[in-house]
Amino acid sequence: METEKMSRTDIGGLFAIGGLIFVAVALETSLNVAFPTLAKDFSTTVSTVSWLTTAYLLTLSIVVPLSSYLNKAFSTKKLFIFSNVFFLAATLLAGWATSFPMLIALRVLQAVGAGIALPLIFNYVAAITPFKLLGLMMGIANLIISIAPALGPTYGGVVLSNVSWQAIFRIACIVPIITLVLGTKCLKSEKSPINKPEFHFGSWLLLSIFLITLVLGLEELVKTPTVAIVLIIVSMIFLIIFVKHSQKLTTPLLDLTLFKNKHFLKNSCGFFIIQLTMLALNVLLPTYVQQSLHYSAQISGLVILPGALLSAFLAPLSGRLLDKQGPKSTISIGSVLNFISLGLMAVALFFNVFNITLLMVLYILYMIGIGLSFSNVRTLSTMKLDKDKQADANALLTTGQQLMGAIGTVFVSAILAIITSINLSSLVIVLIFAMMLFIISIPIVMQFKKE
């Protein structure tokens, strides 16, 4: 008979993995508020400095697809210890980086460690959690990944204003030191599989080239459209080759056949779009607060803190409601709130009445919608899949999640560069996001009427 409780060591293991992932994801966006300072220190442009975030997210999207293979080839404890040590070393060195190329390189190494750790939490939760608690625990797991980017700018702004940008990395080292000790103690020493799956390097290389050329192409749309079009065409060619190659493999790097499942397709697409808008807003709003409202980096980080904390409270609660009542109410209400909040932001920007109080209130409303819908949309996308497809689905979702974050960051940077007026560029971005959320919410909400 399946127990309805989790052991203390299992919970300790969850805290270890979750803590590492939280700091890794928070560091995705913690430098966003420091872009002007970093540009000055390294004598470069803000656009160039933004690659500290873009390169991090792009590396994550390249490393995460390896998770399905790694999960089958190595134990969770070995993967956790390796990723923790790797991430800790890169973060420590980043705190003493003396040049921009060195900092970029260390950000890439950070992301390698984070990319290995990131999918572990979903596989770990699926393995240790009783079915009746699955929604709650998946809500907590999704909470870590969804809320950390929102808290990143707050953390970065406070540390930057009171210490330095180097301290953003140095202080963050405390968490992986603690998680390494906790994980070593609590995670079970499982034996690695005897028959390890084959690693298809060619498939991974094709996918990596597709991702890199796609993001570079989107980045170049503003500067050199011709080069951008060529890069995007090249990325599409490599995507087609990757898909054709994957169809010939018995154990593909990413199981794209999951998208043939209509239930998985519409919910995963909704999950990706929500992720794109959330990460992009975490770049746009601190920039708007500093450049248009003329507040400090610390204030620009703190202004999104209440919404992030409220969403943090709601995510596990909405997961619990999913367990008891199903996903209909939380996802429907959350989707409506997401659209309304961005619609009101657009109205405020259009009439030029978007002050810091209104920004905070509307962001809180937006994050309430995120807290109700985001984690449950992800959980819903995998609910009807066979258990042996869970690891593949998590790899696909996490890869897409990081790619959407990179695309969202590049998109915001591009619009800000094209439209020099921060008010007008913000209006365009928010309007596009509102329309995207509205369009993607229709098939998600409509599926409940058929049930």
Side-chain angles (χ1 to χ4, degrees), residues 225-289:
T226 304
V227 174
I229 292 171
V230 171
L231 285 169
I232 291 172
I233 291 173
V234 170
S235 72
M236 292 300 105
I237 291 172
F238 274 94
L239 175 60
I240 293 169
I241 297 172
F242 170 74
V243 172
K244 295 291 184 184
H245 181 68
S246 297
Q247 290 173 347
K248 299 176 183 178
L249 304 176
T250 53
T251 55
L253 189 66
L254 288 177
D255 189 359
L256 300 178
T257 61
L258 289 170
F259 286 123
K260 293 180 179 179
N261 183 314
K262 292 181 180 179
H263 179 85
F264 178 80
L265 176 63
K266 58 189 169 188
N267 289 294
S268 62
C269 286
F271 174 74
F272 294 149
I273 295 300
I274 296 171
Q275 168 72 4
L276 186 151
T277 60
M278 185 168 60
L279 263 291
L281 284 176
N282 286 335
V283 175
L284 175 65
L285 295 182
T287 303
Y288 182 86
V289 170

Side-chain angles (χ1 to χ4, degrees), residues 96-166:
W96 275 267
T98 55
S99 67
F100 185 71
M102 180 181 178
L103 186 56
I104 278 281
L106 289 169
R107 286 287 280 173
V108 169
L109 293 179
Q110 266 188 326
V112 171
I116 295 172
L118 204 56
L120 289 180
I121 191 165
F122 297 106
N123 297 330
Y124 185 73
V125 166
I128 67 167
T129 306
F131 183 77
K132 290 186 177 181
L133 297 176
L134 187 59
L136 172 64
M137 299 311 296
M138 279 295 185
I140 293 174
N142 278 296
L143 157 70
I144 292 168
I145 294 177
S146 62
I147 301 306
L151 294 177
T154 303
Y155 164 72
V158 171
V159 175
L160 176 66
S161 297
N162 294 281
V163 193
S164 66
W165 66 261
Q166 292 92 339

Side-chain angles (χ1 to χ4, degrees), residues 331-352:
I331 293 177
S332 299
I333 295 171
S335 298
V336 171
L337 289 178
N338 288 340
F339 172 70
I340 290 176
S341 58
L342 291 186
L344 291 174
M345 282 186 193
V347 172
L349 285 165
F350 181 79
F351 288 103
N352 199 24

